[in-house]
Amino acid sequence: MAAEAGGKAFVTRVSGPVVSASGMAGASMYEVVRVGELGLVGEVVRQAGDAAVVQVYEDTSMLKPGAPVLRTGAPLSLWLGPGLIGNIYDGVQRPLPALLAKGGTWIKRGERADPLDLARRWDWEPLLAPGQAVSGGQAAGLVRETPLVTHKVLVPPGVSGTVRSAAGPGSYAAREVLAVVDTPSGPAEIRMLQEWPVRRPRPAAERVRVSEPLVTGQRVIDAFFPLAKGGCACIPGGFGTGKTITQHQLAKWSDADIIIFVGCGERGNEMTEVLREFPGLRDPRTGRPLMERTILIANTSNMPVAAREVSIYTGITMAEYYRDMGLDVAVFADSTSRWAEALREMSSRLEEMPAEEGFPASLPSRLAQFYERGGAVRTLGGERGSVSIVGAVSPPGGDFSEPVTQHTRRFTRVFWSLDTELANARHYPSINWLRSYSDYLDEVGPAWEKVRPGWSGLRAEAMEVLQREEHYRQIARLVGPDALPDAQRLYLFMGGVLRDGYLSQSAFDAADMYCAPDKQAALLDLAMTLYRGARDYIKEGGGLAEVAALPCVPEVVRAKSACAGPAEVAALAARVRAEVEALAAGREGA
Amino acid sequence: MTARGNGLEYVGAAKVEGPLVVVERVRDAGYDELVEISGPAGARRLGRVLDVSDERAVVQVIEGTEGLCGATLRARFLGESLRLPVSGEMLGRVFDGLGRPADGGPPPLSGDRRDVNGAPINPVARRYPREFIQTGISAIDGMNALVRGQKLPVFSGNGLPHDRVCAQLVRQAKLPGGGPGFCIVFAAMGVKRDVADFFIRDFAASGALARTAVFLSLADAPGVERLLTPRAALTLAEHLAFDLGRHVLVVLTDMTNYCEGLREMGTARGEIPGRKGYPGYLYSDLASIYERAGRVDGSPGSITQTAILTMPSDDISHPVPDLTGYITEGQIVLDRELAQRGVYPPIAGLPSLSRLMKDGVGEGYTRADHPSLASQLFACYAYVKRVRALADIIGEEELSAADKVYLRFGEAFEKKFLTQGEREDRPIERTLDLGWETLSLLPREELRRVSAETLDRHYRPAPEG
């Protein structure tokens, strides 16, 4: 069993997922190795002369010093090509359905399966002809991956030259050669299946300014704290504040072309919920099943911690791959705190000097590197593509001053702050509108102005009502609401209408789980119509109680699910106006 | 826990420190391998390899190092990791923290010896938990319903009646409409003998003992043993559920003690401590326990987990409840103030939560009005809390008439809906009707989370006067 022959690499020490090996001269950082008789997958994380430290992605129980270590010479790389969409992977791109078919309910150590089905044949539509000059990032051909996704097979970055030969249209498997390009360094073969190292960002021609909102169908997000396509958002919340449900809602309804959901160190049953629910859900724009544009990466909390560390990079690399085809991709990572904890656990096993709360000193730079892989770009092929990132953060004890929340805030421009008090009152999504912010308002403003001219003024007016509500609510807490004059109690009343009728949105109400932008605008107009009517009426000497008793008020609150579209909402707004006017006329008449 | 050894026995250790023994110049020892250590008197104890290299193996002695002498101890490496022989016959028996018989009976016959660490369930193989479990406790059934395959811990404090609530839950838990009952796997980590006795007596009185397997690692057992107790218990539970198709309710008490055992271990190994001195991998470690619950395709059985933990000084942001809450599917929180006011069970309305409730209640599971009733009760009770805070400042007399109605509702909610007898097993219909009775104290227009049709059917305001 002991492989101590000269030149061969072997294990010298085992401490959990951290394995030291000898005979590793010439190994490079992040090179993949296979450890022991089972061939457990690991990565070199430290190298010194003949010795190296390897982090192993699987349980190392009963691994012994002297066990062989096999070097692969390559860094951890993903298989990229048609067939990713709709699949479910673990953190190191092992396909979970294939593992289930092979090994049963429990994930066995050393089990492996091809990430993409090599036997499957895809219809190929070539875009290259012999003699043509090509460069990296250019489309070599098209594959209809799902009814929602046309997959462009690209000339790999770094390859440029003249096409020597190209396969005609037809049906091919992922490993077949579809074109040969003569390059200065020799001929390069182009296949559907390409590999890319997970830790290396894929190149793009240039970064461009974000301009389009990522429409999520969630009112509090789209209307108040929008995310741009290519933007990064942070969504922190203690346990029970609805982080995961909010992430699921975003993954379901965002208008990105591709959704990548990374379940990183979270609950097994939550992933099951996604797996059971997504195939039955339909994209509101196309009517097709959502799985036809979704990739799931599931590395649940009880799966090996080192694979959790990689899962985030696996997700973002796949996202960049689709971005390079000129698509808008959104990555949802739930939760980046678990990822940071994996970093901490690995760093502590490597006996590194800890910084804040035991996290490695490199935490901020690792977070920055991750979020910097998001953004809108002009691809090497000259198209526009984007990767948006939404990272959930689970601060211990709900305390936002902890390192992961603080550093994530530095590298993201949208902050959706989840609130325990709102969650306790079962107000979902429990995004606190006074503590959240979005730095993309200027960028996405023009797009909203097209939906509703004068949008930014309307939004500002609503925000002001909400801010005043908070102010008077604090006073009311001390003196009781009845001590306030009607002109101030109006804000408490309107705050209630906005909370129940606009900001809260049930993920389980079929009519309201997705709200299109035009309906969002109409609903806000509706609430503001009531506000302005009530404000003017009170200014003229009327009482708040009369307005609150109007028959239209409960309907304003229920309009979000009772009204089908913006036209119905607008009709209700007209009724609100009429009822308030009748009230005012009645008072003047009396 | 017998095992074949590789025959190699080492005499003498370089170092004995806390629960750790360092054996030098070992050959062919594996990480996590089981080691048998014998002291001068010849008594044998078990240990586990935590770190192994060419030169030395660090062995964690599960039953403590007391009386061991570095120069004379003998260490025999057993060639495999800790395994538990599992069989259906283990129901009705009492075991020690490592799964060895502790009731004087013979070791159970078994052909199958399982690694206590288990293996992660492939997320694709999981079946989503959906079946409502009726516990007969209104605060749970009505507002934080438990479903088969869920992990729902009880967060409590010292002196609160978590043991009684938990025993009641075990006694009464069933599927509405009957069916075979649960079998129970009970693991006690670091609890006092009388707490364990309370549970065993209670199981015996209700006739549940015959379908209960008990794993006891009591307060006087070495801290390290606790680390293996829940794993041994869950290994048996997995066998019962997924091989034999039984529905298993696993009760783990008290997880705070378990975590302290883990901290003790981490400190002894000289690890860099994280929050409050707990090791940085506390989350992953807890997940490796809690995630061993659920249902899988291809087996009719299920594992439902209830872990009890006491929050040090009632602090829910303490690392143990905090990290637990991030892994489990909700939590039942016991509230000291309610307990002091004589409310039993003192289940706090707002911080308690069952994440899987939405999928296990309503039409086809309990009753169509259940989800909106629960949501409305939560919202109204949240408002009661605000009114009470206001009343504390300005006095109850100064409250508006509407707010006074809320105070009456809050009173009724706690006294009629939450409060029930320790032996009172309320069917779900009764719980829901009680919920409507209390909600009907409020004016109809306040109930904004319920549809008009549901209100027409269930809202019954008391006649005026």
Side-chain angles (χ1 to χ4, degrees):
Chain A
M1 154 170 332
E4 284 168 44
K8 276 213 175 149
F10 59 93
V11 172
T12 56
R13 180 181 171 190
V14 188
S15 169
V18 173
V19 170
S20 306
S22 198
M24 298 282 289
S28 50
M29 278 293 273
Y30 297 118
E31 177 176 334
V32 171
V33 293
R34 304 234 186 251
V35 179
E37 281 78 23
L38 287 172
L40 308 177
V41 183
E43 242 184 335
V44 174
V45 292
R46 194 181 277 171
Q47 222 262 322
D50 188 48
V53 177
V54 172
Q55 73 177 33
V56 177
Y57 298 124
E58 293 170 83
D59 184 19
T60 53
S61 199
M62 286 313 290
L63 185 64
K64 297 175 176 184
V69 176
L70 194 71
R71 284 172 48 192
T72 64
L76 186 66
S77 299
L78 299 186
W79 284 22
L80 300 169
L84 290 172
I85 304 280
N87 214 331
I88 301 147
Y89 295 103
D90 79 348
V92 286
Q93 213 199 7
R94 291 191 294 177
L96 293 172
L99 287 188
L100 177 68
K102 245 175 135 170
T105 305
W106 277 271
I107 299 179
K108 295 188 184 65
R109 294 194 294 159
E111 188 99 68
R112 80 197 80 253
D114 289 332
L116 294 173
D117 183 356
L118 292 176
R120 181 159 172 191
R121 303 186 81 79
W122 301 88
D123 284 334
W124 169 253
E125 190 187 317
L127 294 175
L128 295 184
Q132 193 181 340
V134 292
S135 61
Q138 191 175 334
L142 302 177
V143 170
R144 192 87 170 149
E145 186 171 1
T146 72
L148 283 181
V149 180
T150 303
H151 192 113
K152 282 183 191 150
V153 175
L154 304 177
V155 177
V159 172
S160 64
T162 318
V163 178
R164 183 199 291 176
S165 64
S171 144
Y172 299 94
R175 272 228 171 113
E176 285 179 70
V177 177
L178 297 168
V180 177
V181 178
D182 280 320
T183 71
S185 53
E189 294 172 335
I190 295 173
R191 301 175 171 86
M192 286 181 208
L193 174 66
Q194 300 181 1
E195 293 192 26
W196 191 264
V198 281
R199 294 181 193 274
R200 191 185 312 156
R202 286 176 64 91
E206 62 169 342
R207 297 279 288 227
V208 297
R209 189 163 184 252
V210 300
S211 58
E212 281 292 307
L214 182 79
V215 176
T216 66
Q218 310 303 306
R219 283 183 296 268
V220 61
I221 290 174
D222 290 351
F224 289 107
F225 310 106
L227 176 62
K229 282 184 179 139
C232 298
C234 161
I235 169 162
F239 68 80
T241 49
K243 251 186 332 298
T244 298
I245 294 200
T246 308
Q247 284 263 31
H248 286 189
Q249 285 301 97
L250 297 178
K252 284 176 199 166
W253 307 122
S254 291
D255 69 341
D257 300 310
I258 308 285
I259 302 290
I260 298 178
F261 191 90
V262 187
C264 170
E266 289 288 308
R267 304 178 181 92
N269 278 334
E270 262 165 17
M271 285 319 295
T272 312
E273 190 180 359
V274 173
L275 300 179
R276 299 294 138 118
E277 204 176 359
F278 273 40
L281 290 171
R282 286 178 183 272
D283 180 7
R285 294 169 304 153
T286 56
R288 300 291 313 174
L290 282 176
M291 275 314 276
E292 289 180 0
R293 56 159 199 177
T294 307
I295 304 173
L296 297 172
I297 295 169
N299 209 88
T300 56
S301 55
N302 55 339
M303 287 157 77
V305 66
R308 193 197 300 166
E309 192 263 328
V310 185
S311 61
I312 289 260
Y313 297 105
T314 300
I316 200 86
T317 305
M318 289 182 187
E320 287 174 341
Y321 175 67
Y322 282 95
R323 174 203 70 188
D324 291 346
M325 300 174 200
L327 299 174
D328 291 313
V329 188
V331 178
F332 298 92
D334 186 15
S335 130
T336 57
S337 292
R338 305 297 162 232
W339 170 75
E341 279 163 15
L343 284 183
R344 173 166 72 185
E345 199 170 322
M346 298 311 300
S347 134
S348 137
R349 300 235 188 222
L350 291 169
E351 291 164 358
E352 288 174 352
M353 185 73 97
E356 282 169 285
E357 298 202 7
F359 287 105
S362 59
L363 176 69
S365 56
R366 296 290 291 270
L367 278 169
Q369 281 162 11
F370 169 64
Y371 283 106
E372 271 308 289
R373 289 178 75 171
V377 300
R378 197 167 57 77
T379 66
L380 292 176
E383 288 178 279
R384 200 188 154 87
S386 70
V387 172
S388 317
I389 304 178
V390 177
V393 179
S394 321
D399 169 17
F400 289 181
S401 67
E402 58 91 39
V404 183
T405 316
Q406 280 310 312
H407 294 305
T408 304
R409 261 178 114 140
R410 289 166 53 203
F411 310 119
T412 54
R413 287 171 65 197
V414 176
F415 188 72
W416 295 319
S417 168
L418 298 184
D419 188 302
T420 309
E421 200 181 313
L422 288 173
N424 278 348
R426 302 302 187 259
H427 173 113
Y428 293 121
S430 64
I431 295 174
N432 182 304
W433 44 91
L434 296 173
R435 282 204 297 272
S436 303
Y437 58 78
S438 165
D439 203 14
Y440 293 112
L441 286 172
D442 291 344
E443 277 100 334
V444 305
W448 266 108
E449 294 287 331
K450 274 184 227 150
V451 176
R452 187 213 181 266
W455 167 254
S456 59
L458 181 69
R459 178 192 175 276
E461 190 183 10
M463 272 312 280
E464 194 194 333
V465 171
L466 289 168
Q467 263 151 12
R468 287 199 182 196
E469 184 219 5
E470 178 61 20
H471 177 70
Y472 293 127
R473 190 191 264 268
Q474 280 178 7
I475 298 179
R477 225 169 258 164
L478 298 175
V479 300
D482 292 346
L484 297 180
D486 273 3
Q488 295 180 358
R489 273 173 55 201
L490 165 68
Y491 290 96
L492 301 184
F493 166 71
M494 276 315 298
V497 170
L498 281 170
R499 281 160 188 264
D500 289 344
Y502 197 82
L503 296 165
S504 71
Q505 187 170 357
S506 168
F508 309 109
D509 175 353
D512 197 36
M513 51 175 74
Y514 174 82
C515 189
D518 53 355
K519 188 176 167 190
Q520 296 190 24
L523 282 170
L524 197 56
D525 263 324
L526 171 67
M528 287 299 107
T529 304
L530 177 64
Y531 162 66
R532 289 184 212 118
R535 181 194 58 194
D536 296 346
Y537 178 70
I538 291 167
K539 207 183 281 170
E540 300 295 319
L544 176 63
E546 292 123 66
V547 180
L550 286 176
C552 64
V553 170
E555 286 185 51
V556 170
V557 174
R558 291 198 173 119
K560 58 182 183 181
S561 46
C563 296
E568 267 180 62
V569 179
L572 180 60
R575 254 188 61 206
V576 170
R577 214 169 288 122
E579 283 186 18
V580 176
E581 271 165 22
L583 201 61
R587 212 182 65 82
E588 271 159 31
Chain B
M1 211 78 357
T2 54
R4 304 160 298 280
N6 64 3
L8 284 181
E9 194 171 47
Y10 297 84
V11 180
K15 198 159 78 170
V16 183
E17 189 178 327
L20 303 181
V21 166
V22 179
V23 186
E24 290 199 318
R25 285 183 296 278
V26 289
R27 286 207 27 232
D28 211 25
Y31 173 74
D32 207 31
E33 182 169 346
L34 208 57
V35 187
E36 206 173 69
I37 306 263
S38 27
R44 282 181 295 187
R45 7 191 154 187
L46 286 176
R48 256 195 324 174
V49 175
L50 291 183
D51 188 332
V52 59
S53 64
D54 293 346
E55 300 97 49
R56 61 199 193 115
V58 179
V59 179
Q60 167 197 57
V61 184
I62 297 163
E63 291 141 302
T65 48
E66 201 185 296
L68 288 183
C69 164
T72 58
L73 67 79
R74 290 161 178 276
R76 200 156 67 87
F77 288 78
L78 299 180
E80 61 175 13
S81 54
L82 181 63
R83 278 161 196 274
L84 179 77
V86 290
S87 88
E89 292 164 27
M90 292 171 80
L91 292 173
R93 301 283 308 270
V94 179
F95 303 92
D96 74 356
L98 297 176
R100 294 171 296 202
D103 51 4
L109 290 174
S110 161
D112 214 2
R113 298 166 67 253
R114 299 280 167 88
D115 183 346
V116 295
N117 291 317
I121 297 178
N122 187 330
V124 179
R126 279 184 185 270
R127 198 135 51 94
Y128 195 68
R130 295 205 81 117
E131 289 162 291
F132 172 74
I133 296 174
Q134 178 180 304
T135 64
I137 300 172
S138 292
I140 297 178
D141 291 351
M143 301 182 60
N144 303 291
L146 178 66
V147 297
R148 255 187 195 170
Q150 185 175 14
K151 36 194 187 291
L152 190 66
V154 177
F155 288 8
S156 183
N158 294 311
L160 291 177
H162 43 264
D163 294 333
R164 283 156 60 202
V165 174
C166 194
Q168 183 172 10
L169 195 149
V170 169
R171 231 172 16 238
Q172 298 179 174
K174 57 179 162 292
L175 290 193
F182 283 99
C183 55
I184 298 156
V185 174
F186 177 81
M189 289 90 68
V191 301
K192 292 171 70 67
R193 161 64 70 180
D194 36 349
V195 172
D197 283 345
F198 164 81
F199 275 104
I200 294 172
R201 266 202 317 276
D202 200 272
F203 294 155
S206 65
L209 197 57
R211 49 187 170 90
T212 303
V214 177
F215 291 77
L216 293 180
S217 173
L218 297 177
D220 53 0
V224 188
E225 190 188 279
R226 283 176 216 166
L227 303 185
L228 293 166
T229 307
R231 296 193 161 82
L234 286 162
T235 304
L236 174 63
E238 281 171 357
H239 172 69
L240 293 170
F242 303 133
D243 297 334
L244 305 180
R246 306 283 298 261
H247 293 291
V248 188
L249 182 65
V250 179
V251 180
L252 304 171
T253 181
D254 168 333
M255 286 305 286
T256 308
N257 295 337
Y258 169 85
C259 295
E260 275 164 8
L262 202 65
R263 177 165 67 180
E264 201 179 315
M265 202 54 244
T267 315
R269 292 178 67 181
E271 289 170 347
I272 295 157
R275 256 199 315 158
K276 298 221 170 174
Y278 290 96
Y281 50 79
L282 183 59
Y283 178 84
S284 303
D285 190 276
L286 284 174
S288 71
I289 293 176
Y290 294 138
E291 280 290 335
R292 292 171 79 175
R295 314 194 60 179
V296 298
D297 279 325
S299 164
S302 66
I303 298 181
T304 309
Q305 252 190 44
T306 308
I308 301 176
L309 57 89
T310 44
M311 302 181 278
S313 49
D314 294 355
D315 176 11
I316 198 166
S317 67
H318 183 278
V320 177
D322 189 49
L323 295 180
T324 297
Y326 274 122
I327 306 165
T328 55
E329 285 127 359
Q331 64 277 335
I332 301 288
V333 183
L334 300 191
D335 183 272
R336 197 168 293 277
E337 197 202 317
L338 282 176
Q340 280 161 350
R341 279 194 282 136
V343 174
Y344 175 90
I347 294 175
L350 304 182
S352 300
L353 168 74
S354 165
R355 291 166 192 271
L356 301 184
M357 173 171 179
K358 58 183 176 18
D359 300 297
V361 303
E363 190 82 64
Y365 297 101
T366 53
R367 212 165 77 182
D369 55 310
H370 194 163
S372 53
L373 170 72
S375 165
Q376 189 64 61
L377 281 171
F378 266 116
C380 292
Y381 194 56
Y383 190 74
V384 168
K385 293 271 173 176
R386 294 224 307 266
V387 173
R388 282 186 184 159
L390 180 62
D392 284 345
I393 298 168
I394 63 171
E396 219 169 283
E397 291 71 36
E398 298 296 313
L399 291 177
S400 68
D403 284 355
K404 282 181 185 154
V405 177
Y406 267 98
L407 282 189
R408 277 215 304 283
F409 159 78
E411 199 62 18
F413 176 78
E414 286 168 5
K415 287 274 138 62
K416 281 170 73 180
F417 183 84
L418 286 188
T419 303
Q420 69 185 85
E422 226 176 305
R423 301 264 154 196
E424 184 183 350
D425 188 358
R426 277 189 199 152
I428 180 66
E429 291 75 20
R430 178 79 194 114
T431 291
L432 296 179
D433 291 344
L434 270 176
W436 283 112
E437 252 173 60
T438 51
L439 271 188
S440 296
L441 292 171
L442 293 170
R444 185 179 161 128
E445 41 307 346
E446 292 288 318
L447 309 182
R448 288 192 201 163
R449 300 202 175 186
V450 189
S451 71
E453 304 86 72
T454 309
L455 281 176
D456 287 343
R457 181 171 305 171
H458 297 286
Y459 180 71
R460 298 274 176 278
E464 287 296 316

